[in-house]
Structure formats: structure tokens, C-alpha cells
Amino acid sequence: MIKNFFKTLIIFASIIFLSKSVLSENLTVATPHDPSVDPHWLYLGPNAAYSRYIFERLIDRDENANIVARLAESWENLDDLTWKFNLRKGVKFHDGSDFTADDVIFSIDRIPNIPNNPASYESNVSMIESVEATDSHTLVVKTKNPYPLLLRRLSGVAIVSKSNVEGSTTEDFASGKVAIGTGPYKFKSYTPGDNYQITVNNNYWGVKPDFNDVTFKIMPDGASRVAALLAGDVDILEGLSPSSVPAVESKDGFKVAKRASARTLWLYVDTQNDNSPFVTDNDGNAMSVNPLKDKRVRKALSLAIDRDAIVSKVMDGLAEEANQVVPKGFFSYSENIPENEFNINKAKELMAEAGYADGFGLTVHAPNDRYVNDDKIAQAIAQMLSKIGLKMQVETMPKAVYFGRLNKQEFSLSMIGWDNAFTGSSLMSLSAAFHTKEEGYGSWNAGGYSNTAFDAEVEKASAAFDMQEYEGHLKRAMEILIAEDQGAIPLHSQFVTVGTTDKVDYTPRADEAFEVMLVKKAN
Amino acid sequence: MKFNIINFLKIYSEDKLALFFFINLIIILGLVIFGPLITLQNPYDLSQLNILDSLLPPLSQAYENNYFLLGTDDQGRDLLSAIIYGLRISLYVGSLSVIISLIVGIILGVVSAYFGGFVDNFIMRVADMVLAMPSFLIALVLLSILGRGLENVVFALVMSQWATFARVIRSSALSEKEKDYFYSARCLCLPQSRIIFGHLLPNCLPPIIVLSTINLAFAITLEASLSFLGVGLPITEPSIGLIISNGYEYIIVGKYWMSLYPGLFLLITVVSINIFSDRLRILLNPRLNI
Amino acid sequence: MLIFLTNRIIQSFIVLLAMSLLVFAAVYAIGNPIDVLINPEASEEEKLKTIKNLGLDKSLFEQYFIFLKNAFKGELGYSFVHNRPAITLILERLPATLELTISALLIAIIFGIPLGVIAGLNPNNLVSKSILATSIFFFSLPTFWVGLILIMLFAVSYNFFPSTGRGDTIEIFGFYFSFLTFDGLKHLVLPSINLALYPLALIIRLTFAGIQETLPLDFIKFAKAKGLSRFRIITFHLLKYILIPIVTVIGLQFSVLIAFAVITESIFAWPGMGRLIIESITLLDRPVIVAYLLVIVFIFMLVNLIVDILYSFLDPRIRISDK
């Protein structure tokens, strides 16, 4: 009787409260990120991804990290320093004005000149010496040095409308007043911390997206996003943690889109300091030598890590072992580097050979809100390393604190994950994270790795226009770094996972950025 | 009612629910004190863990004829061992922070009440400032600056609690000051320290005891909330709060045990302490002028 | 009364000033925000330029005085992350948090006082005992745990209520409120219940204790002797008498709830100030953190002042003295 009463109550309540979003022309996205509507403000991954809807670039990267023409129709190298771009004709901004070369020049000029921008897009235009319009739709760009990567750099330069944006501030973008681009969507509304809405641009020159109105619901907590998807409040969910994948997949009417991303995680090893900050002897006292400078110890660390267990247990199978700092099969991946080996006995032998049969104390550092399961991976690694006699500790911290300390070389063994999709090769990781610190190189060399032969290969690669030559140098550099020196300990490449209802299909991007245009109505 | 063991037991024996939780409290204290002797493993020793044991459901077979009674967590820790160790560390952090806040509060409160004037004004204005901030926020901001670590958590908890103690102790000390015994002690020209510690303090004891037990429960919950938000104790030495928050994301996949059981243990602990302090309050009947 | 008010305002102002110094020093002691926000590939030159632009190259004291100077003009700095005034960001989100906190308090009051009265009048029957026992449970439940259980039960398993987020809003005086729409109300239910549990327990216990203390008092006996109805005695005499401590606690709880809303807001994706502060802490958005804490202190003081004034209306014996 009472049971029946409750049943009726539940059904009754469901009828009243049930409000599944009706999927027709509208799409609701659950996302962890707040957008910056100003496409030149704050160069963070999610902001760059958001800017793709309203704004376009001359050249963009597609979901497979290949270059595609957008506002530039074609381009050519006049010489090593000079590039000519033919711009697409007949493209109109959302307010009806024509897109011309002046808008491009204005956008390139605006990027370095936004006051107080803590993370400027400047690094994407700083190599440009001059930009000139030879007519309304032809542009000549000169670089300071030979710069083969210019096209990829320009994929990080969103084009805004000069007539609208001139004299405006970032606040004018957030209010929508000057959020006017040429992209497939137009600005509709933005409530910070709550939702961001865009609506389709009917005059778009390119392929029209499948959905007319898109609402991003901003939800930083992962479990709440999953709950929202399963409750039918949203159609698609960005940033699904591997552990939640089964919950989505096993439910009728839901599915998960996944692919290997171009981001590879590895461990920096302090190969520079004689007193490494987080290396101690077994009693916790500082050591006069840094065992990590011994190549045998670094090899032992790599041998002791069971990457298979990390992939299957911590990442729920949603990752791929990595034996170098780019994913397998990626451009510039070197086949000459041997597969990872998991061999505790061999690791112990190497440790004994180096004179550390009894181990030493070591702390592994990692962020706890940056990569998929970053803090869990760090703990698993510590477990594994403790099996070869090391006295391990783990310290994780929010990215806000972590990267600052990492940059100051405050750690001995530390985690990082690098997205290789931007350059489409290992160049950025190798030149920034491993080249000896000097002008233009090694700005993220947190392990202090330094090898002149390696540096020479990286420098040759960054000035090479010929793709084969370019790849050859990168492969060679990677072989020196990993196979010869074990200057870093590669871990794995993570997957991008996106949960959806079965009414939509999604193709994830290699650079992990979310893109509404890749969401299609399911047949 | 006078405070003695007999009255205390009487109050408990009359109330089945309270008795039940009092027994629970004793069991929990026993587990916490003798835990390391009976657990399957030391969950804080990384070399005893194996990631391959992770996420096993309750009653899974472990090594050498042992069972993971309550299953394992995401790092392969035996959940029961982790809960016992976690409660141990949570109770330790909670009681340490209460004891330190109490000491700080007693010193500042009594000094304030005894000396009055400028000293009193200054201490109480500072206390007001602390009380002007919700304790949760004080702890959150402090920890986000200091980073994880046992001392940091204790420090943050003390910073957010001492002012309450100082206020309560000051006000009960003030009312004691008006009483006859205090004047007589002064007239006898007893040394100040003896007046304070020998006479003043013992008489403000009831509210202090009750406030301490309330704050203990509060400190444990606060620590759990902080761990949930990602600031708190080191992740390799999880407190009960951190264990729950580790299991939090698994509730949705049906791996309920990682957050349900530690949640229940936490709940029972806090309820037991709260009921205990409630009975103490009835027994001692202090007026808490917080 | 007037002197009392001015005194309190001056006092509050001094506390606010001291607080700002403490908060500023504490918050600015956290790592360098540039390290977090700046693009990994930025050159050294770019970094220096940004540091200079943001005024982070100046000493802590200089930075504080610039901050104070601006504070008097009502500006609490520009958010590093959003490039918008910090105070605007906070005020934009204030309505959402207030809505949540006030609904939680209302739930606590509407259910708490009657339950407390029921328990207080017949402390020995089963209903009262279970009310009291439940209140201790509510007191002890970890908020985040309950939040997730609520979502699982009522949003995912049964679909009664939307799981997260805020519903449709209506603009009033430039601020957006959701409690005036049906959709908004539906979204409000779970988070406000989650947040209400703690103050609910507190109010039940306070009302209970108040009634226990009041029942034996003379004026109640007198009222009974006068033959007044039980209902009238409870509503007019009893409740009025015990309302003072309850009002105080509600006032204090209001600011505590605003702080605890941080947890509820992050579980239910409620776009209030609490979520802003968590995001700002992880992104080291110092101007927002400082502004948020000052706003909280300000609200707290305001509430205390209001409580003090309410006192004098509720209890003629406590007339605020001008000393």
C-alpha cells in the first residue's frame, strides 16, 4: 500500500518535473571552462577553443592537427623571410561589413597591445617583422628570422573586425558589443560562471554547422557534469574522466567519443643540480651527490615504472603507453627508440651498479587539476618506484602553484604533459623543455637537461623548411634525449573523452580542444 | 546536576540511543588507538600497495588468505585499513587543533578578562576580526597559501577556532571574576598566576569542555570539507575526508564502497562525539555565550 | 542610537581596513600569478612586460597603497583572468549566492522552528526524540557527500529535479534572479536543501533548548492560568520570547552559509560567488580573492549590525545603549 503510494508519487512528480532538453536545432554542452569572449585575451587552451566559434583564423588546424585554409585561401613563400597570403573574398563579418586585409593587420597589431594581459597570444606574432596589404585581399608578411612554423603560429591568431573593435576593451567583448567575427556562430549571451550562448551565422561562407543554437553550461565539477548528462540536462559533456566512462557507456541512450590526443605525459628528471631539492638519503638528510645525474639511475626509474598498469588501472585503458615525448605514429615519432620495458630486477641491478642498492629518498611532484588523473598517476608511480628500494613521497598541488614552482626548477622528479598538436611535431616539446636554456630555447627546461648534440639537432629542425629534413632532425634529437640519455621518462599519451547522448555524434580533436562544429546530428 | 561519573553513566543508561553511540565512540577510539596492530596493511606505506589491486569491491580476495573486507580504493589500499588510519589521522588533526586552540584561547581569554583595559580591547578586537570571517574561509585561504601538510592543516584549523575559545573563556572568566571566591583570593594576595590557574580557570571548565567536544566534531568535518576541495592533508596519507572525496567520482559508476563506508564511519564518529557533547552539556549545563 | 550606529560603523571600518591589509598580504604571498597564466612559450621579455603592466614588480607595500587608493574609489582591482573589475565579477554572482543562501535559511526556519517547538513541548515522546536524533545527524553530515547523494537520488535515479546549474532567470534592477520562474525554482530545490541541513539542525536544537528553558517560567504559567489557548501561548508568548537567540543565530548562520555555499555551489554547478573564489584560488586571481574576502567581511558586519538593531525591536529590555 505504502509502496504503491510512493510509486504513484514518484510517477506523478516525474510528470511534473521531467524536463528533458528537446534536441532539435539546439545543443546544450556541459563544460568545465568559463570562456573569454575576447579572442586575444588570456592564452589558455579552453579560451583558444572557444574563440573558434565567433572568430576565424587565416589558417587553422583541423581535428587531426593538419593545417587547413580558412580566411586565407592560399599562400606561398616568396623567400625564407617573406610570405604572401591571398585572402578569401566575399567573406562578411556578423555585422555585414566586408572582411579585408586591414582586419588582419589590425588583429596582429592588437595582440601584443592589450594592457595587463597575463597570458598574451604574443608568442604567435612575435616573429613577425612587418605585415603589409598590397591590395584589399592580399597580404605580405615578413618574419625576423626564417620561420617555417609561421602557418601553425597563425592558427593562434583570431581575426577581429577592425571597424568594431578599434578602441574597445575586453569588457566590450564580454558584453557582446564587439564580439563580431566571421565565424560560423554569432554571440548571443554570456552569464559569467553560468552559461555562454551562441547562435548560428546564416551568412557563413563555409559549411554550416548542424546546430543553430548552442548553450554552454559551465560546470567545473566532473561528477556534476556526468550527472547532468545522465539526467538529460545536456546533450554533450566535455572533459569526461576515464572512471566515469563506463557509467555513460553502460546507460541506454548515451555513448562516449574518444581518441588518442597529441598530449604526451612524461617526467622531468633533475639532471643539472648537484644537490637536487627533493633527493635525500634514506634517513631524509640532504645528499652531496645527485644520483639522478647518473644515467643508470634514470634508466632504472624508467624500468621500474609499469606503464601497462597505469594505462589499464589508473586510466581505465583510456591512454596509450609512450616511449618518447610524442605519441606513437605521430609526425616526428622515431621508430628507432625501443619499446618500454618493465623489469624490476634489471632496475635493481642498475641501481646497485650505480651504488644505490639501498635506494635513496625521492619526491615526485605533479599537478592535481591539469591532466587526466594526474595525482593518481603520480601516486601509482611512487608505489612502483618504492618497489626498487626508493623511499618515495608524493606531493601534488593545484596547477596554479605547480607550474610556477616547476618553472623555477624546484623539483627533482616532476610530471608534465605537452600538447604536440600545435606544431604538429615534437619541435615545441623538444626546444622548450629540453634545449639548454638560452634566448628562444629551453623556457620550460625544468630538468636542466643539456646536451650540445641534441641542441644542434633542435636548432637545425627549427630552421628547416623541408619537411623531410625537419622530421629527420627531430627524430635524431628524440633518440639522443630518450634512447641515449634518458633525459626524461615518458609515461603515456592520454585520450580525449567526450560523453554524448546517442542523438549526436562527436569527433574529438587531437589537441583536446572542444569544437561545436564537430558535433553532428546522429542518423 | 553535579558532574561525576555516576551521574554521567546515569544519563547515558537512561537513553538507549546515546548509549549506542557512546559504545560506538569507545569502539572507534579503540580502533584508532590499536588500529595499526590489527589492520591488513599500512595504507601509508607505498611499498605495501599495489595499483593492480585498485578498485576491488568488498570481500575481494587479497593476498595470503586475507580479504579486502570493504574493498579497495583507487590506489589499491585496503579500504578498512585506510578508514582506520584515516580516522586516526582525522581525530589526531582534530584533537590537536582543538587542544592548541584551547591553549591559545585560555591564555588570551583569561589574560583579557584578568587585565581588562587596553589588553582586553586589543585581544578582543583581533578575535572579532577572526570571527568576522567564516572559519571555513579562513582555513581555505590559509591552506591554499600554505599548501598541503599536517602542520598546515592544524595551523589553519587553529587559526579559525582560537577566537571562539578566547571569547567564551573570557566571558565565563569575567563572570567568575565577579564572584566572592575571586575577591577573597585577591585579598589574600595570592600570586596572579595562582589566581588564574588555580581558581579562575577550574571554575570556567564546564563551558570549555562542552565547547571543545563540539569543536572537535566541527574540526573533523571541516578537515573533510577542505580535503574535498583539494586542500588538506598529503594525498599519500589520506584522512577520512580525503578517502571520501577520492571515492566521490566513483559513486556515479556504481563503485559506491569507496565513499559510502568511509562516509558512514565519519558520520558515526561525528554523531557520537556530538551526542557525547550534547549529554555533557545537559550534565554540566553551562551557558555558552559565544 | 545614532551614536551607537556611528560607533559601530567606524569600528567596522577599522576592522575592514585591518582585514584588507591581512588578506592582501596573505593572498599576495602565494606564488607568482604570471607563472600560472602566462603561455609556456612566452619569452623572458614578454614575461617582464606583463609583470610590469600588472604592477607586480612593485613592492608589496606599494601594491597595497595603490590598492587602497583604488578601494576608496570603489575599485577593488581588475581580475587578472577576466580583465574586468573584480567587484563587478563578484556583484554579478552575488544574487545567485544570496538566492541560494536565503532559500536555505528559509527552509531551515520554516521547518526548523515548528519541529523544534514540537520537540520542545513534549520532549519525551517518540516523535520528539526522533526529531532531536535526526537533527544531530544533519549536524554531522558532510555537505559534499550529501550533495552527491541528493543528485544521485533525485536527479539521476528519479529525475525529479534537474541535477545542476541555475534555471531561467528574470532581471530585476539589473540583477538576475531565478526564484521567480518555475524552471529556476526547480533548479533551486536540491542545492538549497543541501545547504539547509546544517542550519536546520541548529535551529531545531536552539528552538528546543529555548522552549525547554522558557516553559517553566512564570509568564507562561500565568498565561496558562489566564486560560489562553495553547496555540496562542505558543505563538505569541513562547515564540516571541525564544526568538532572540534564534535571530542571532540566523544572522550568524547567514554569513557562515555564504562561506559554506562554496562546497554546495561547486557540486551543483551553481554560478555564485563561492565557485568564483575556488576558481580564483586555483588561478591565483588575486584581485578577485581579495575583493571576495572583503565583500564577505562587509556582509558579515552588515548582518551583525542588522541583528543588533533587530534585537532592540524584539526585546524591549535590550535597548541599545549609547555608551
Side-chain angles (χ1 to χ4, degrees), chain B residues 129 133 145 251 259 274 278, chain C residues 15 26 140 145 148 205 297 300:
Chain B
M129 254 161 65
M133 301 276 284
I145 296 166
I251 291 185
S259 48
N274 275 336
D278 193 50
Chain C
V15 173
S140 318
W145 195 60
L148 199 85
R205 300 186 67 72
V297 175
F300 196 98

Side-chain angles (χ1 to χ4, degrees), chain A residues 17 34 41-43 116-119 122-123 153 170-171 192-193 218-221 224 227-228 233 400 404 443-444, chain C residues 35-41 46 49-50 53 80-81 83-85 92-93 151 160 163-164 186 266-267 271 275 282:
Chain A
F17 291 110
D34 234 315
W41 173 257
L42 210 61
Y43 195 0
N116 295 342
N117 190 352
E122 198 173 346
S123 52
R153 286 294 187 182
T170 302
E171 183 124 37
I218 300 153
M219 307 181 177
D221 181 70
S224 328
D233 296 338
S443 56
W444 275 79
Chain C
D35 291 332
V36 188
L37 296 172
I38 208 156
N39 175 20
E41 309 155 28
E46 237 174 275
K49 203 174 98 187
T50 317
N53 266 334
F80 293 161
V81 178
N83 198 22
R84 305 177 59 208
E92 259 172 11
R93 300 206 181 188
I151 292 180
F160 285 176
S163 54
T164 50
K186 276 195 322 190
S266 63
I267 295 172
R275 255 180 63 200
T282 47

Side-chain angles (χ1 to χ4, degrees), chain C:
Chain C
M1 185 73 181
L2 199 69
I3 301 172
F4 167 79
L5 271 182
T6 35
N7 260 342
R8 280 295 296 263
I9 287 168
I10 292 170
Q11 221 177 39
S12 307
F13 181 75
I14 293 170
V15 173
L16 210 58
L17 201 70
M19 214 59 217
S20 76
L21 182 65
L22 280 181
V23 169
F24 187 87
V27 170
Y28 279 63
I30 326 180
N32 188 346
I34 294 301
D35 291 332
V36 188
L37 296 172
I38 208 156
N39 175 20
E41 309 155 28
S43 67
E44 208 50 40
E45 195 186 341
E46 237 174 275
K47 280 184 200 174
L48 289 177
K49 203 174 98 187
T50 317
I51 289 172
K52 212 171 155 179
N53 266 334
L54 290 172
L56 295 170
D57 54 339
K58 300 198 176 71
S59 72
L60 216 57
F61 270 108
E62 264 178 283
Q63 290 187 39
Y64 178 65
F65 279 113
I66 294 172
F67 167 78
L68 265 193
K69 216 171 70 190
N70 289 330
F72 279 110
K73 287 187 251 160
E75 286 171 25
L76 294 174
Y78 260 66
S79 156
F80 293 161
V81 178
H82 302 278
N83 198 22
R84 305 177 59 208
I87 192 79
T88 316
L89 283 171
I90 291 165
L91 291 182
E92 259 172 11
R93 300 206 181 188
L94 186 64
T97 299
L98 285 183
E99 202 170 272
L100 181 62
T101 335
I102 291 172
S103 353
L105 263 185
L106 280 181
I107 292 178
I109 294 168
I110 291 168
F111 289 96
I113 293 182
L115 286 174
V117 170
I118 291 170
L121 290 178
N122 306 297
N124 289 322
N125 75 16
L126 199 66
V127 178
S128 309
K129 276 189 172 163
S130 20
I131 291 176
L132 284 179
T134 319
S135 78
I136 290 192
F137 269 98
F138 283 178
F139 218 62
S140 318
L141 285 167
T143 317
F144 60 92
W145 195 60
V146 179
L148 199 85
I149 303 275
L150 284 176
I151 292 180
M152 286 308 297
L153 225 58
F154 294 107
V156 179
S157 299
Y158 288 120
N159 234 322
F160 285 176
F161 299 107
S163 54
T164 50
R166 200 171 175 217
D168 299 337
T169 51
I170 288 179
E171 190 185 338
I172 304 170
F173 306 124
F175 290 108
Y176 290 88
F177 292 95
S178 74
F179 66 94
L180 295 169
T181 65
F182 183 59
D183 182 56
L185 272 182
K186 276 195 322 190
H187 279 85
L188 194 55
V189 173
L190 291 185
S192 44
I193 289 179
N194 185 221
L195 196 58
L197 292 183
Y198 185 80
L200 175 64
L202 208 63
I203 289 176
I204 291 180
R205 300 186 67 72
L206 265 172
T207 317
F208 173 79
I211 298 230
Q212 290 285 291
E213 277 178 24
T214 319
L215 273 182
L217 294 184
D218 287 344
F219 76 94
I220 298 289
K221 286 181 189 153
F222 188 69
K224 273 185 191 160
K226 230 168 89 178
L228 291 178
S229 77
R230 196 175 151 84
F231 181 76
R232 206 181 146 80
I233 295 177
I234 294 171
T235 45
F236 279 82
H237 298 88
L238 238 160
L239 270 184
K240 204 177 161 195
Y241 189 78
I242 61 169
L243 219 51
I244 297 157
I246 296 178
V247 166
T248 321
V249 166
I250 290 172
L252 288 172
Q253 276 303 302
F254 183 70
S255 354
V256 173
L257 282 191
I258 287 185
F260 266 99
V262 170
I263 299 173
T264 304
E265 284 176 11
S266 63
I267 295 172
F268 288 93
W270 190 263
M273 300 192 296
R275 255 180 63 200
L276 184 70
I277 183 81
I278 289 286
E279 283 158 28
S280 304
I281 284 176
T282 47
L283 285 170
L284 290 189
D285 199 346
R286 289 171 187 170
V288 181
I289 303 176
V290 171
Y292 172 81
L293 291 173
L294 291 180
V295 167
I296 290 279
V297 175
F298 181 76
I299 292 177
F300 196 98
M301 288 176 167
L302 200 68
V303 169
N304 277 358
L305 198 64
I306 293 171
V307 167
D308 278 345
I309 294 169
L310 270 183
Y311 257 25
S312 65
F313 286 111
L314 284 171
D315 190 347
R317 285 174 309 172
I318 315 173
R319 284 281 177 233
I320 294 164
S321 60
D322 287 343
K323 65 172 175 182

